[in-house]
Amino acid sequence: ALSSSYSLCQTKSVPIATNGQPFPWDRMRLPKTVFPLHYDLTIHPNLTTLDFSGVARIQLDVREDTNTIVLHAKQMQVSNVLLLAPEGVRPLQVLEYPQFHQLALRPDSVLTKGRRYEVHLEFAANLSDSFHGFYKSSYRTKSGEVRVLASTQFEATFARAAFPCFDEPAFKANFTIRIIREPRHISISNMPKLKTVELPGGLLEDHFDTTVKMSTYLLAYIVSDFVSVSRTTQHGVNISIYAVPEKIDQTAYALDAAVKLLDFYDDYFDIPYPLPKQDLAAIPDFQSGAMENWGLTTYRETGLLFDPDKSSASDKLGITKVIAHELAHQWFGNLVTMEWWNDLWLNEGFAKFMEFISLDITYPELHVDDFFLGKCFEAMEVDSLSSSHPVSTHVENPTQIQEMFDDVSYDKGACILNMLRDFLTPEAFEIGIIRYLKRYSYQNTVNSHLWESLTDVSGLCVSLDVRAIMDTWTLQEGFPLVTVEVRGREVRLSQERYLKTDDPSLIEGFLWQIPLTYMTSASSTIHRFLLKTKTDVLYLPEEVDWVKFNVDMSGYYMVHYAGEGWNSIIKVLQHNHTALTSNDRASLIQNVFQLVSVGKVRLDTALELSLYLSKETEIMAVTQGFGELVPLYKLMEKRDMAALENQMKGYIVELFRGLIDRQEWTDSGSVSERVLRSYLLLFGCVRNYPPCVAKATQLFNQWKDSDGTMSLPVDITMAVFVIGARTPEGWDFLFEKYRHSFQMSVKSRLKSAMGVTPLKDKLKWMMEQSLSGEIMKTQDLPDVVVAVSRNPHGYKLAWDFLRANWHTMIKKFDLGSHTISYLVNGVTNQYSTREMLDEVKSFFGSLTEETGSELRCIRQTYETIEDNIRWMDTNLPLLQAWLDKRSRRAVHEDL
């Protein structure tokens, strides 16, 4: 059934409130007549009956005469609603319109512009059993006791499910919170606690200091039995890490990182952090990675807890990045907030980008630069489909708002900022963003405010029109493909949209202003050129052997080298690959394989280029090599073509064999070397490379014989566990260890390894366990289901599971959430046959708008499958011929 809100859009009939009367407001966005100034909130959660009640007093600023106050409330009972006016207390009539989560409060006379009023509302609701609003979380102690806590997640539109409020980012206000609790719990919120008052009946009431002026989605409070560790930054801010008592010994690393990073941002932004404290809390049940609530950031336990003996190099990198991201938001997002969710990227693109800027300076040993490119490649993956959207795009309803939290807002946002920083120079860029933050503190902004702040800081004689350049990157979707053709000293350039489609009309009408960079075989100088037109020509001082555009891939675009261009690049890679940086090499691998998908380059050319990888040692280029080659056999695994699939797998193992053989089974080396080692040894084992399998089998047996007490080098545990998970006894042993482990990083590696098993009954059982949430947490269900779908023995099980439990999952994880899109794409996007496309379309096509028929991720997966079908039709014969020719070449060389 279509909802009444749908029919409403069609006819614009008057909305009807729940009591049958007309509702006085017919838009999803709130009116701008009344603004909140201050909320006084008292909240009383009951962790036994799992519900809460509360009182809100909201001070209002009336900006135009009005006879209605419209605000948000969702799934709660509201009672005893009063207006406190200068002439006394009056009752308010309350109308509810649940489709838009709105309440209308109607006084018996007009509210006058410029006068101050206050509304008083009492409310009650159940603690949510999802991961948003004011929700219930629980954990099991070592003795097996289950303990309950209550925590909040309000971004984007869930504050309204916790208390009545003006739940849009531009309605900033101050909040004064009081929380009623039992003595066995503590409560924490955005601000420090001022005092605790004893209430009759043995309850306690915590009073918190008033917040700075902020948006509703940043409010937070937790009632729990957490304990904490604390330290003070150089700037005098008190930092605490909160966790469940039995995991508090895993908080030291996060405490160090938070102190260091908050001090860094304080200096870098030249604006003091405005609150007296910053708490970081590890929540046992948490849907996303973390949340930047002002003064009380919340995290998944895996995103905050670190054990120096059991956590890996990539765990350390991941935790430091998450903390850097949330603390960057204290300025970008919290202090300066986007006007509306269409510009979410101003929050998320910046926070993602600042992870890399801050860690590069504060944690040089983590080598974050080795990982930034990966973000741009991920963004291009979704941005190369016609279902993509501009970085800044119109959104209206809560589902569309949630859908903005995607790779385009985060990763593309970060990549275009990186491109602009490279173009303006880091110094000018920093001056501009400090100007932006100072100018708009405690306010809301749109795209153009940022571009204005960055204009005229470049220090160049010519004033750059930053807005004109950046509008082409934020207001249109997709990205450009620049074709370069060298003829003697002349370089011909042209641009078009890169799009995976068989409909050429979709590519027309796009034009970017592209900050091009290039270097040549003749000199390592980086040359710059702003390409504003469809085609252009530039001249080199002399003829060269090769030219490489988009140096280090600091620009968000792909490059095609026409004529002999790719051949001259392949020569460089084969004879002297270090003439190019590892980022340049990674970008060439990505570009050439992606160009095969749009028919610009023949598959043979891309495969010939990939041969150089047998000499490659740098992480970004190696992982990109895997990233382009592995998906080719992943498509085959879901079809019946074992012979070619095994040939392809054999080629990849052979290509990287030298590098795999050189890996030591220890934890030595830099972060990048360690992350690469984990990856390579895991790949070797999964692909049954005999030396890897033998070593991992021996280590697994020793570890199992010691009942898991033997200490394995952290970097190799995944490889060892994956081999162990192949037998029922091995799998059961891993599961026992999973069940009893309190080490978050160990738990997540055990879980991943169990998902790689060939044992179908175990795979099915894991998905069911994660759904019930008893032993394996429901927050991990998406990872488990996607892992099973990537497993050649499990993909049919995962697809059946997704269909059977769709309605449960969209309730639990929320319709437009990144989690649901991750599930949809993860489970379906490696199909490459018409039959499977029809099956996928028949399921998603049977949904209603309420149950997801309009989700962008569904359009994305249709397009991806269609692209896979085209790829296979065009390239399978070429791949077969190339691999055959290559094995004949190898035999010939051996003779």
Side-chain angles (χ1 to χ4, degrees):
L2 288 171
S3 74
S4 43
S5 65
Y6 180 75
S7 53
L8 179 95
C9 312
Q10 304 311 85
T11 57
K12 250 326 187 196
S13 60
V14 176
I16 302 298
T18 47
N19 66 356
Q21 293 185 14
F23 189 78
W25 183 249
D26 63 357
R27 267 164 277 176
M28 211 170 273
R29 296 282 299 272
L30 297 178
K32 298 267 195 284
T33 45
V34 178
F35 275 68
L37 295 169
H38 180 267
Y39 293 78
D40 247 312
L41 288 177
T42 304
I43 313 272
H44 180 192
N46 184 324
L47 297 191
T48 312
T49 55
L50 302 179
D51 51 19
F52 64 93
S53 59
V55 182
R57 281 178 53 169
I58 312 173
Q59 272 183 32
L60 302 174
D61 173 21
V62 177
R63 300 200 178 173
E64 286 167 42
D65 288 2
T66 181
N67 57 1
T68 312
I69 301 163
V70 183
L71 74 170
H72 291 108
K74 180 181 174 184
Q75 291 169 343
M76 58 173 65
Q77 295 85 45
V78 174
S79 58
N80 202 6
V81 182
L82 305 170
L83 178 73
L84 286 65
E87 51 274 15
V89 178
R90 307 213 293 278
L92 285 161
Q93 184 202 6
V94 180
L95 295 169
E96 292 183 54
Y97 188 60
Q99 279 92 326
F100 289 177
H101 312 147
Q102 286 170 357
L103 295 179
L105 313 180
R106 310 207 68 172
D108 43 23
S109 61
V110 170
L111 302 178
T112 316
K113 174 179 175 173
R115 293 181 69 180
R116 295 287 172 88
Y117 297 86
E118 202 169 292
V119 290
H120 168 284
L121 310 96
E122 294 177 17
F123 54 92
N126 291 322
L127 285 172
S128 166
D129 57 3
S130 65
F131 298 95
H132 36 261
F134 192 19
Y135 70 94
K136 173 202 133 167
S137 169
S138 64
Y139 70 95
R140 204 177 280 272
T141 64
K142 284 186 177 157
S143 63
E145 177 198 353
V146 173
R147 296 199 181 161
V148 176
L149 59 130
S151 183
T152 58
Q153 166 65 37
F154 291 162
E155 191 176 33
T157 56
F158 301 110
R160 63 189 69 173
F163 61 97
C165 57
F166 296 78
D167 199 12
E168 293 181 7
F171 288 101
K172 288 191 172 184
N174 304 91
F175 297 82
T176 306
I177 307 283
R178 298 175 182 193
I179 294 185
I180 298 173
R181 61 175 171 88
E182 296 173 67
R184 65 192 172 117
H185 292 129
I186 61 157
S187 73
I188 48 177
S189 183
N190 305 75
M191 297 298 287
K193 187 171 76 176
L194 296 175
K195 63 175 179 182
T196 300
V197 177
E198 288 191 31
L199 302 181
L203 291 171
L204 301 173
E205 184 177 67
D206 291 333
H207 293 223
F208 294 92
D209 207 348
T210 302
T211 68
V212 293
K213 191 175 165 193
M214 64 185 221
S215 305
T216 46
Y217 76 87
L218 292 168
L219 201 65
Y221 37 87
I222 302 169
V223 177
S224 68
D225 65 342
F226 288 176
V227 292
S228 64
V229 295
S230 306
R231 261 204 12 237
T232 305
T233 68
Q234 288 173 356
H235 293 268
V237 180
N238 189 44
I239 307 256
S240 305
I241 315 279
Y242 283 84
V244 305
E246 288 168 320
K247 293 178 185 169
I248 197 69
D249 58 346
Q250 299 175 55
T251 53
Y253 181 73
L255 184 59
D256 266 355
V259 167
K260 205 164 172 179
L261 285 160
L262 201 71
D263 273 331
F264 167 79
Y265 287 135
D266 232 311
D267 295 333
Y268 183 88
F269 294 134
D270 192 34
I271 299 171
Y273 173 74
L275 310 186
K277 62 96 175 170
Q278 168 71 242
D279 298 336
L280 298 82
I283 313 293
D285 298 278
F286 201 85
Q287 182 172 335
S288 63
M291 176 64 210
E292 68 266 21
N293 318 300
W294 213 345
L296 171 52
T297 50
T298 47
Y299 302 77
R300 240 179 213 233
E301 289 184 325
T302 46
L304 201 61
L305 303 178
F306 181 84
D307 177 335
D309 300 327
K310 299 272 170 56
S311 299
S312 68
S314 61
D315 295 327
K316 179 179 265 192
L317 181 67
I319 289 168
T320 322
K321 276 171 64 179
V322 171
I323 295 172
H325 182 101
E326 303 316 324
L327 295 185
H329 271 310
Q330 308 300 300
W331 285 263
F332 273 101
N334 301 10
L335 184 65
V336 180
T337 312
M338 72 268 134
E339 175 78 26
W340 179 243
W341 302 105
N342 61 316
D343 279 328
L344 174 69
W345 84 277
L346 287 172
N347 279 15
E348 296 303 348
F350 249 109
K352 175 61 67 184
F353 175 66
M354 287 309 300
E355 290 174 28
F356 291 89
I357 299 293
S358 63
L359 296 191
D360 193 37
I361 297 169
T362 51
Y363 284 90
E365 70 277 12
L366 290 178
H367 292 290
V368 284
D369 274 7
D370 288 350
F371 303 92
F372 186 72
L373 263 200
K375 295 289 138 199
C376 306
F377 295 147
E378 280 168 41
M380 285 176 161
E381 190 112 335
V382 292
D383 211 16
S384 62
L385 303 172
S386 60
S387 54
S388 187
H389 62 90
V391 167
S392 180
T393 199
H394 174 79
V395 287
E396 184 86 343
N397 66 47
T399 299
Q400 294 167 339
I401 292 169
Q402 284 305 114
E403 283 190 297
M404 286 297 282
F405 291 78
D406 68 354
D407 287 351
V408 172
S409 297
Y410 285 69
D411 297 344
K412 178 176 180 177
C415 294
I416 62 176
L417 286 169
N418 184 55
M419 171 168 72
L420 181 61
R421 176 177 185 254
D422 182 67
F423 187 60
L424 294 178
T425 75
E427 299 70 31
F429 182 82
E430 188 180 341
I431 293 167
I433 61 175
I434 291 169
R435 181 194 287 186
Y436 166 79
L437 288 171
K438 288 185 172 171
R439 192 178 287 174
Y440 298 107
S441 291
Y442 303 103
Q443 298 176 57
N444 294 79
T445 56
V446 296
N447 252 335
S448 53
H449 292 143
L450 178 62
W451 308 141
E452 285 154 19
S453 302
L454 284 162
T455 298
D456 302 330
V457 292
S458 54
L460 304 170
C461 319
V462 271
S463 169
L464 276 173
D465 190 344
V466 174
R467 180 176 179 173
I469 297 172
M470 295 311 289
D471 277 353
T472 68
W473 298 94
T474 57
L475 304 182
Q476 57 183 356
E477 72 270 27
F479 58 88
L481 165 62
V482 175
T483 298
V484 174
E485 192 171 0
V486 182
R487 298 189 177 176
R489 283 179 45 214
E490 183 181 84
V491 181
R492 298 189 178 184
L493 304 168
S494 65
Q495 61 161 300
E496 65 190 279
R497 180 176 177 193
Y498 176 92
L499 189 65
K500 291 178 176 169
T501 177
D502 46 9
D503 176 358
S505 70
L506 294 173
I507 296 174
E508 285 157 23
F510 286 87
L511 189 68
W512 283 267
Q513 294 201 17
I514 311 173
L516 292 180
T517 53
Y518 63 95
M519 55 181 281
T520 68
S521 55
S523 104
S524 57
T525 311
I526 298 176
H527 303 275
R528 295 175 185 277
F529 181 78
L530 187 64
L531 178 62
K532 294 184 178 184
T533 47
K534 185 112 183 81
T535 59
D536 210 335
V537 178
L538 43 91
Y539 294 93
L540 301 171
E542 60 198 299
E543 288 197 21
V544 294
D545 296 333
W546 53 264
V547 55
K548 164 72 172 72
F549 271 76
N550 200 356
V551 178
D552 278 338
M553 197 158 161
S554 52
Y556 185 70
Y557 59 94
M558 283 186 197
V559 183
H560 170 43
Y561 299 92
E564 282 300 298
W566 278 111
N567 290 337
S568 59
I569 279 170
I570 290 172
K571 277 202 196 86
V572 184
L573 288 172
Q574 280 170 348
H575 299 295
N576 180 22
H577 68 280
T578 52
L580 294 161
T581 66
S582 63
N583 273 2
D584 275 329
R585 303 194 298 269
S587 72
L588 289 167
I589 296 163
Q590 191 254 7
N591 287 189
V592 79
F593 276 94
Q594 295 304 313
L595 289 167
V596 173
S597 295
V598 292
K600 295 275 183 190
V601 171
R602 272 178 61 97
L603 178 62
D604 317 33
T605 307
L607 290 166
E608 289 295 327
L609 184 142
S610 76
L611 287 167
Y612 106 89
L613 283 164
S614 64
K615 298 197 288 269
E616 185 56 85
T617 57
E618 297 287 333
I619 187 163
M620 198 63 237
V622 171
T623 48
Q624 202 50 39
F626 277 109
E628 299 299 340
L629 295 165
V630 169
L632 307 188
Y633 75 68
K634 293 308 285 181
L635 295 183
M636 299 175 206
E637 284 181 343
K638 292 183 169 55
R639 292 172 58 157
D640 191 16
M641 41 175 57
L644 180 58
E645 177 195 319
N646 288 325
Q647 240 179 311
M648 184 66 199
K649 288 173 176 173
Y651 169 63
I652 303 175
V653 171
E654 190 50 43
L655 200 53
F656 291 107
R657 194 177 79 183
L659 194 55
I660 295 173
D661 288 343
R662 289 206 299 279
Q663 300 304 311
E664 294 170 13
W665 291 63
T666 63
D667 283 339
S668 57
S670 70
V671 171
S672 297
E673 286 164 342
R674 292 183 57 184
V675 172
L676 184 59
R677 170 189 301 128
S678 303
Y679 189 97
L680 289 166
L681 296 179
L682 175 61
F683 177 80
C685 284
V686 171
R687 288 280 57 82
N688 294 315
Y689 177 51
C692 279
V693 176
K695 180 85 173 157
T697 308
Q698 175 204 349
L699 285 166
F700 181 76
N701 291 334
Q702 290 172 348
W703 180 70
K704 185 166 173 283
D705 293 342
S706 77
D707 193 27
T709 56
M710 174 180 131
S711 145
L712 288 169
V714 182
D715 296 346
I716 65 160
T717 47
M718 249 335 262
V720 173
F721 292 167
V722 159
I723 293 298
R726 290 181 174 180
T727 66
E729 316 77 63
W731 196 95
D732 291 341
F733 183 75
L734 291 167
F735 179 69
E736 266 318 291
K737 292 294 153 216
Y738 174 84
R739 237 185 126 127
H740 295 112
S741 172
F742 273 69
Q743 250 61 47
M744 297 321 297
S745 36
V746 176
K747 266 183 116 80
S748 65
R749 281 198 294 281
L750 287 163
K751 184 192 71 198
S752 304
M754 293 189 296
V756 185
T757 182
L759 310 166
K760 288 188 178 167
D761 54 326
K762 302 291 192 193
L763 295 172
K764 203 163 172 220
W765 188 82
M766 264 181 92
M767 292 191 292
E768 286 156 2
Q769 277 301 319
S770 304
L771 185 64
S772 82
E774 286 297 302
I775 307 169
M776 303 187 94
K777 289 231 168 237
T778 307
Q779 65 176 16
D780 297 332
L781 178 67
D783 286 333
V784 170
V785 175
V786 171
V788 173
S789 76
R790 296 285 188 240
N791 181 329
H793 304 277
Y795 64 91
K796 288 195 177 71
L797 302 172
W799 173 227
D800 291 344
F801 183 89
L802 181 76
R803 287 182 291 182
N805 298 289
W806 177 255
H807 296 280
T808 313
M809 295 198 292
I810 59 174
K811 256 227 293 292
K812 188 83 180 167
F813 295 117
D814 199 56
L815 200 50
S817 67
H818 186 260
T819 311
I820 293 295
S821 111
Y822 170 66
L823 272 164
V824 168
N825 281 302
V827 170
T828 58
N829 70 11
Q830 290 181 342
Y831 289 122
S832 61
T833 62
R834 285 267 155 233
E835 299 76 52
M836 271 319 295
L837 179 60
D838 294 342
E839 195 172 298
V840 169
K841 282 190 162 172
S842 117
F843 173 69
F844 290 123
S846 70
L847 302 173
T848 63
E849 188 176 352
E850 269 74 54
T851 58
S853 64
E854 299 300 301
L855 291 177
R856 181 184 281 113
C857 59
I858 293 173
R859 299 202 303 279
Q860 284 171 336
T861 202
Y862 290 171
E863 280 191 72
T864 306
I865 298 171
E866 280 164 2
D867 177 54
N868 293 343
I869 293 170
R870 275 197 304 274
W871 197 99
M872 295 296 252
D873 288 350
T874 311
N875 292 306
L876 276 181
L878 294 167
L879 180 61
Q880 183 72 66
W882 191 85
L883 289 169
D884 287 347
K885 186 176 87 187
R886 177 166 162 72
S887 52
R888 283 198 302 276
R889 233 188 304 178
V891 169
H892 185 73
E893 282 162 11
D894 287 348
L895 292 177

